[in-house]
Amino acid sequence: MKSESIPNSAPSSRASEAKRSGSVALRVALNVALNVALSVALRVALRVALNVALNVALSVALSVALSVALSVALSVALNVALRVALAVALRVALSVALRVALSVALSVALNVALRVALAVALNVALRVALAVALRVALSVALRVALSVALSVALNVALRVALAVALRVALSVALRVALSVALSVALSVALNVALRVALRVALRVALSVALAHASRSLSACALFFRVHQIAAAKPPANAITIGLGTITTRGHLSPAAS
């Protein structure tokens, strides 16, 4: 009877050992799956973040280059246009002033000369006419020249002031717009990169963890099945040691007889 109770206790001990080894295998499989999932998620997140950051940096660099090229082209065009306008305005003003001065001087001189020549003698009339004509011509020419010069100077000064104000406003607006665009682009790029990286990392980590968990569960199930089968069918001729007796399974012991 003692020899029969000892073989019944051996399968229960082996089953408990199989359960312990199965729990240890489960823990090891879960740890390995988590480590692999974390490493794969970190690699995928880094790659996605780098790709998104490179794309955003290229788009921002292209937009900044285009804006700088446009600003330089506008400044050069404004400089050339202002220089050409100033040269043309000076030429037109000089030609108009000379023509007006000559026409006014000639008309005034002729009128005065004719009136004085008719009233006074020819000699006195000629001398007085010449003197008065010269004085009147000079005064009229100076007045006309001063008025024309003042009007032209005011127009040119207004145009120059408007051009300078437009340049300053454009430069300030472009600098402010570029700084704001750069800051907004960097913040948006970082937010988009972080969100995309987190989503991709979570999806990849979940998929990898589920795959490894399913594999580890199937391996543990096979391990438990093998141990259950081994515990249900003990091997023959296994030597067991009892209380002062040594029996061999599958044969009748002398102590029992």
Side-chain angles (χ1 to χ4, degrees):
M1 294 299 290
K2 289 181 182 180
S3 61
E4 289 178 358
S5 63
I6 290 169
N8 289 326
S9 63
S12 63
S13 63
R14 288 186 180 180
S16 63
E17 288 179 356
K19 288 181 180 180
R20 289 178 184 176
S21 61
S23 62
V24 171
L26 276 174
R27 291 178 183 176
V28 171
L30 288 174
N31 289 323
V32 171
L34 288 174
N35 291 323
V36 171
L38 287 173
S39 63
V40 172
L42 287 173
R43 290 179 182 175
V44 173
L46 288 173
R47 289 179 181 175
V48 171
L50 287 174
N51 290 324
V52 172
L54 286 173
N55 291 323
V56 173
L58 286 174
S59 63
V60 171
L62 288 174
S63 63
V64 170
L66 289 173
S67 63
V68 170
L70 288 173
S71 64
V72 171
L74 286 173
S75 62
V76 172
L78 287 173
N79 288 323
V80 173
L82 286 172
R83 289 178 181 177
V84 173
L86 287 173
V88 173
L90 287 173
R91 289 180 183 177
V92 171
L94 289 172
S95 62
V96 169
L98 289 172
R99 289 178 183 177
V100 171
L102 288 173
S103 63
V104 171
L106 288 172
S107 62
V108 171
L110 289 172
N111 289 323
V112 172
L114 289 172
R115 289 176 183 178
V116 172
L118 291 172
V120 188
L122 290 175
N123 293 325
V124 177
L126 289 173
R127 291 176 183 178
V128 173
L130 288 173
V132 172
L134 288 172
R135 289 178 183 178
V136 172
L138 288 173
S139 63
V140 172
L142 287 173
R143 289 178 183 177
V144 172
L146 286 173
S147 62
V148 173
L150 286 172
S151 62
V152 172
L154 288 173
N155 290 324
V156 172
L158 288 174
R159 288 178 183 176
V160 171
L162 288 174
V164 172
L166 285 173
R167 285 183 188 177
V168 173
L170 285 173
S171 62
V172 173
L174 286 173
R175 288 177 183 175
V176 173
L178 287 173
S179 62
V180 173
L182 285 173
S183 61
V184 172
L186 287 174
S187 63
V188 171
L190 288 174
N191 291 324
V192 170
L194 288 174
R195 291 179 181 176
V196 172
L198 287 174
R199 289 180 181 176
V200 173
L202 288 174
R203 290 179 181 176
V204 172
L206 287 173
S207 62
V208 172
L210 289 173
H212 282 283
S214 62
R215 291 178 182 176
S216 62
L217 287 174
S218 62
C220 290
L222 289 173
F223 183 75
F224 278 122
R225 184 65 179 168
V226 169
H227 277 280
Q228 286 178 358
I229 292 170
K233 294 180 179 180
N237 297 326
I239 298 172
T240 59
I241 299 171
L243 295 174
T245 60
I246 299 173
T247 60
T248 303
R249 293 180 183 177
H251 298 284
L252 184 64
S253 63
S257 60

